[in-house]
Amino acid sequence: MEKNTTVVSTSVKILKVILDITWYLSWVGAGLALILIIVALSGVNLDQLQVTIPAAIDFYPENTTSEIPYADRPVISEIEGKARILINPERAFWKVLVCIFLPTIIAAFIWGLKHLRLFFLSIKKGNPFDEENPKRLRKLAYLIMIGGPFTGLGLIFQSLFILDDLSVPAGEIELHPDLFLEYVVGGLIILVIAEVFDAAVRMKKEQDLTI
Amino acid sequence: MPIIVNLDMLLVKRKMSLTELSEKVGVTIANLSILKQNHAKAIRFSTLEAICEALECQPGDILEYESTHKE
């Protein structure tokens, strides 16, 4: 029994450290995103810079020495299969990406993490069946269910936007739409767990009010 | 809730305070207060027995059923 308590408390401590580090790192990420937005909007000359972004594109090069036809255009980085794109931050598309997609994703991540930390805090305080916890779990579930397909749509959108302008080394290129439906399944599982928590909260309330 | 707890009425009749009852029954004042204010969801037979003994009454004196259906 004693051993079990120690294991639980250690795992709780480790989880707390992980969540805290993620929380502070996400704020660092938010700060970096803010700097990127300022840079993107301020018109600083970034001609020499290349940034790698993910894309819903599969790329199969003909050979490893394929040369890039137009170096001034967005370039597919030479990854076999799921490709990433090298883009110059001077392009208007980059500004849309930095000013709309990036803040949305970071804000959603911080919002979800905030609820996860509050949920964890209630467990740490010894009150896992807090009335707010099922609501928090539902919020997290909806965030994951919407966030996955939203990211997938964003990648498809950005790939379509960039496809005509893409400088492709000799090889095959395929649009590879992925809506990350596994996230929807993950969200559904969390929704079911939220219902279990809801039932547990009701039972605890009844137990507490039994004299 | 259609079950009404008449604990406050019985306490007045017996001229007993909630603290006194709490000491006799062995239930905290907070829990007796929940019972008195009709916020309780359930009552254990052991608690009911102890209250009946302390107040020298029957369970029916403490609990009352009031129908919610209007005729």
Side-chain angles (χ1 to χ4, degrees), chain A residues 128-167:
Chain A
F129 302 116
D130 188 308
E131 268 183 60
E132 287 299 310
N133 280 350
K135 291 177 198 164
R136 286 176 188 139
L137 274 179
R138 276 189 205 106
K139 283 176 189 169
L140 281 171
Y142 292 135
L143 181 72
I144 291 167
M145 283 167 82
I146 295 166
F150 176 80
T151 311
L153 278 175
L155 287 179
I156 293 167
F157 165 76
Q158 94 181 12
S159 304
L160 284 173
F161 195 87
I162 227 163
L163 211 55
D164 287 341
D165 201 24
L166 206 56
S167 172

Side-chain angles (χ1 to χ4, degrees), chain B residues 25-66:
Chain B
V25 174
V27 175
T28 61
I29 299 175
N31 277 343
L32 281 180
S33 194
I34 289 170
L35 193 63
K36 203 179 86 169
Q37 287 164 24
N38 252 317
H39 292 318
K41 291 266 182 191
I43 182 165
R44 290 189 189 91
F45 278 163
S46 57
T47 312
L48 193 59
E49 185 188 326
I51 293 173
C52 286
E53 198 180 322
L55 295 175
E56 292 167 0
C57 65
Q58 293 298 311
D61 299 328
I62 301 169
L63 304 174
E64 187 187 327
Y65 173 75
E66 193 176 70

